[in-house]
Amino acid sequence: MPCGRAYYKIAFTMDSQKEKPAGHLRNKKGKETSINIRLETKDDYLNVEKLTREAFWNLYKPGCDEHYLCHILRGHEDFIPELDFVAETDGNVIASIMYSKSFLISEDNEKTGIVSFGPLCVHPEYQRRGIGGALIGKTKRLAEKMDIPAIAIYGDPHNYCKHGFKNGIDYRVSNMDGEYPLGLLVLELQPGFFGEKKWKLRQSDVFKYKQEDAIEFDKKFEKKKKKNQYSQELFKMQIRSFLKEF
């Protein structure tokens, strides 16, 4: 996969329909039910991995790896359990957000710790209802209280600019090769933090897992059909797109 596996560990749909606010929704029986956002527990691990697999399956490639990333992230030194949240309704986990430590390296070699989220996912039956946005909002406020200056992710700008994210080029934040990928998105939590310096983003090495390990892990789950679909072509275009400074 070009540009590294840190790319797009965030499930999205191609539907441009306006999201509905989270808080309450109707269940399969048509009854209004509340959404509870809470920290993930050990009892949630398998359900979160199944949820993540369902949300990402065939989205960016035939099959997916993101459920394996959930599995290995929890035991990694860069995992941030204080920002590991799920959303549930009727006792079922329907969405998840996980965070890891990242670093910004300035042009004068100043190293500053920030955070990145991903995998972030919502079960397909509950997408476009504001649940993902509620998870981002909850964890963003906590990150601010933790005195974290910024959040940096790789994701689809259509999904995250509405939450205040801008392309890295607007804060002079590039990847480690000095490039500005379309999907490199930054949310400044401390106004003015970036100043006039140039920065490079370094994400956790948890994203550098072996593909064969992810394939082996997937064998533990119910078999699902892998197939090609148009979202994979869009993904290929997006990860090959870069912005240039004027």
Side-chain angles (χ1 to χ4, degrees), residues 89-129:
T89 185
D90 292 334
N92 298 313
V93 173
I94 60 172
S96 167
I97 188 168
M98 304 178 77
Y99 276 79
S100 56
K101 298 175 184 177
S102 293
F103 291 95
L104 290 170
I105 303 172
S106 70
E107 56 191 339
D108 56 1
N109 290 319
E110 176 186 353
K111 189 176 181 181
T112 301
I114 62 168
V115 297
S116 300
F117 62 71
L120 162 62
C121 64
V122 179
H123 191 281
E125 292 183 6
Y126 294 94
Q127 291 177 359
R128 300 302 171 188
R129 302 193 190 189

Side-chain angles (χ1 to χ4, degrees), residues 62-80:
C64 72
D65 305 336
E66 285 76 8
H67 52 311
Y68 177 64
L69 177 58
C70 289
H71 183 71
I72 61 174
L73 177 55
R74 298 186 189 101
H76 196 277
E77 62 182 357
D78 291 332
F79 178 54
I80 307 175

Side-chain angles (χ1 to χ4, degrees), residues 13-31:
T13 69
M14 300 299 169
D15 185 3
S16 61
Q17 179 183 354
K18 185 177 180 181
E19 289 189 1
K20 300 176 183 178
H24 292 82
L25 51 79
R26 294 190 181 277
N27 61 21
K28 293 180 179 179
K29 296 181 179 180
K31 294 182 179 181

Side-chain angles (χ1 to χ4, degrees), residues 20 24 26 41 58 68 89 100 115 117 142 144 160 173-174 183 195 200 202 204-205 208 213 217 225 228-229 244 246:
K20 300 176 183 178
H24 292 82
R26 294 190 181 277
T41 69
N58 293 329
Y68 177 64
T89 185
S100 56
V115 297
F117 62 71
L142 288 173
E144 289 173 330
Y160 298 99
V173 177
S174 70
K200 291 184 177 182
R202 173 175 290 167
S204 171
D205 63 8
K208 299 177 182 178
D213 291 340
F217 179 73
K225 183 178 180 180
N228 295 305
Q229 58 187 40
K244 292 184 178 181
F246 289 109

Side-chain angles (χ1 to χ4, degrees), residues 150-153 164-168 171 173 184-188 194:
I151 300 172
I153 63 171
F165 284 84
K166 296 183 179 181
N167 186 270
Y171 294 115
V173 177
L184 198 171
L185 305 176
V186 178
L187 179 63
E188 188 178 50
F194 289 101

Side-chain angles (χ1 to χ4, degrees), residues 49-241:
E49 289 163 10
K50 288 180 177 179
L51 158 71
T52 304
R53 186 174 186 252
E54 188 68 25
F56 281 98
W57 195 257
N58 293 329
L59 184 58
Y60 299 131
K61 68 174 188 177
C64 72
D65 305 336
E66 285 76 8
H67 52 311
Y68 177 64
L69 177 58
C70 289
H71 183 71
I72 61 174
L73 177 55
R74 298 186 189 101
H76 196 277
E77 62 182 357
D78 291 332
F79 178 54
I80 307 175
E82 298 89 346
L83 297 175
D84 177 26
F85 278 81
V86 298
E88 65 177 358
T89 185
D90 292 334
N92 298 313
V93 173
I94 60 172
S96 167
I97 188 168
M98 304 178 77
Y99 276 79
S100 56
K101 298 175 184 177
S102 293
F103 291 95
L104 290 170
I105 303 172
S106 70
E107 56 191 339
D108 56 1
N109 290 319
E110 176 186 353
K111 189 176 181 181
T112 301
I114 62 168
V115 297
S116 300
F117 62 71
L120 162 62
C121 64
V122 179
H123 191 281
E125 292 183 6
Y126 294 94
Q127 291 177 359
R128 300 302 171 188
R129 302 193 190 189
I131 300 169
L135 285 170
I136 293 172
K138 171 76 172 181
T139 52
K140 169 191 169 184
R141 292 188 292 272
L142 288 173
E144 289 173 330
K145 292 179 180 179
M146 294 165 68
D147 203 30
I148 294 169
I151 300 172
I153 63 171
Y154 284 96
D156 186 345
H158 292 88
N159 291 334
Y160 298 99
C161 289
K162 61 188 172 186
H163 297 295
F165 284 84
K166 296 183 179 181
N167 186 270
I169 200 170
D170 294 316
Y171 294 115
R172 307 181 81 188
V173 177
S174 70
N175 62 17
M176 291 304 294
D177 294 324
E179 302 167 322
Y180 299 102
L182 175 65
L184 198 171
L185 305 176
V186 178
L187 179 63
E188 188 178 50
L189 300 181
Q190 297 177 2
F193 164 76
F194 289 101
E196 298 300 319
K197 295 181 181 179
K198 285 189 174 182
W199 305 82
K200 291 184 177 182
L201 171 66
R202 173 175 290 167
Q203 289 192 303
S204 171
D205 63 8
V206 71
F207 295 103
K208 299 177 182 178
Y209 52 80
K210 295 180 180 180
Q211 191 67 33
E212 54 267 33
D213 291 340
I215 293 172
E216 188 64 28
F217 179 73
D218 187 65
K219 293 178 182 179
K220 299 179 180 180
F221 295 82
E222 182 180 353
K223 190 172 183 179
K224 289 173 65 71
K225 183 178 180 180
K226 296 181 180 182
K227 63 180 182 179
N228 295 305
Q229 58 187 40
Y230 81 98
S231 61
Q232 297 164 16
E233 295 304 314
L234 289 175
F235 175 63
K236 290 177 184 178
M237 296 176 193
Q238 288 175 325
I239 64 173
R240 295 168 180 163
S241 299

